[in-house]
Amino acid sequence: MKKAVLLLPALFIALYFFRFAGRGLRADFTQDDLMNMCWSLEQPYSRILADLVVFWRSAPTFRPLGGLIYKVFLDLFHLNPLPLRVFCYALLLVNMFLLYALARRLTASREAGALAVLLHAYHPGFNNIYFSPGMLYDVVCFTFSFAVLLFYVRIRQSGKQLGPPQLLLFLFLLVLALDAKEM
C-alpha cells in the first residue's frame, strides 16, 4: 500500500506531462532534423565511434552521440519519425527520474524531488524539445550531465572519494555528455 501511495505523484506527473507534451509524439521531422540525418548518414559507423572516443578534437562528426543515434534510427526505421520520438520521450522520462533523484538527494526530501520534477515536467517554452527531434542533442546531454552529477553527488555524500573504477565511470558519463552537445 505504501509503495502505491509513493507512485501516485509519479503517475500524476507522467499524466500531466503527456497531457500537455504528448502531441509531440506525432511530430514529423523538421528541416533541421533532415540536415542532421543527412549528415549522419554520410559518416560511417567507424568514424562516428572514433569521434566519440576522441572527443577533445574538432571532429568531422558534429555531436557524435546524436549523430550515432540518428544513424541507428535511420538504419532501423528509415524515415519513420515515431520510433525516434518514442526514444526522445523515453529519455525525457529518464531525465525526470534523474532530476527527482538529484533533487531528493540534495534536499533529503521526496516532496522536494517531486516538486522539482513537476516544475520541470512541462513548460510551454520547451515546445521545441517536445516537437522537434533535432533537440535530441539537448535531451541526451541532459541525460548524461545529470547522470554524472547524480553519480558524483552520491559518492561524495557517502563520504568517499572517487576511486579508479568510479573515476572511470565518472569520466565515461562526462564524455558522453560532451559527445551529445557542446556545453
Side-chain angles (χ1 to χ4, degrees):
M1 181 69 166
K2 186 175 180 180
K3 285 191 182 214
V5 171
L6 293 176
L7 289 177
L8 283 177
L11 180 62
F12 172 79
I13 292 170
L15 290 173
Y16 170 76
F17 169 71
F18 280 106
R19 165 66 178 95
F20 292 105
R23 291 186 329 253
L25 282 168
R26 295 186 305 263
D28 209 349
F29 293 121
T30 66
Q31 293 171 341
D32 192 38
D33 302 319
L34 296 174
M35 177 193 66
N36 293 332
M37 285 186 259
C38 179
W39 186 89
S40 69
L41 278 176
E42 293 174 350
Q43 306 299 319
Y45 279 105
S46 60
R47 180 78 215 183
I48 296 173
L49 293 173
D51 290 340
L52 281 170
V53 175
V54 189
F55 64 92
W56 58 86
R57 68 177 166 87
S58 179
T61 307
F62 179 66
R63 300 174 180 168
L65 186 55
L68 179 64
I69 292 168
Y70 272 126
K71 189 166 183 69
V72 167
F73 274 85
L74 280 169
D75 285 347
L76 293 175
F77 305 106
H78 307 288
L79 286 174
N80 180 0
L82 183 60
L84 183 60
R85 298 304 304 143
V86 168
F87 176 75
C88 289
Y89 271 65
L91 282 180
L92 288 170
L93 293 174
V94 167
N95 291 349
M96 286 185 226
F97 172 77
L98 290 170
L99 175 63
Y100 168 78
L102 183 63
R104 180 177 176 210
R105 187 160 283 282
L106 292 175
T107 63
S109 165
R110 285 188 172 113
E111 294 81 7
L115 182 59
V117 173
L118 180 62
L119 293 173
H120 172 84
Y122 174 79
H123 190 282
F126 291 167
N127 274 341
N128 280 341
I129 288 175
Y130 310 132
F131 289 96
S132 172
M135 299 301 287
L136 167 75
Y137 303 107
D138 302 84
V139 174
V140 173
C141 185
F142 183 103
T143 303
F144 288 107
S145 296
F146 269 64
V148 75
L149 184 57
L150 178 62
F151 177 72
Y152 179 77
V153 167
R154 195 171 140 241
I155 297 276
R156 295 299 292 146
Q157 282 185 341
S158 71
K160 299 177 184 172
Q161 299 288 328
L162 293 176
Q166 292 90 3
L167 185 58
L168 284 175
L169 181 57
F170 176 86
L171 292 174
F172 177 72
L173 293 170
L174 183 61
V175 166
L176 288 175
L178 292 170
D179 282 337
K181 183 168 178 126
E182 63 288 349
M183 35 179 198

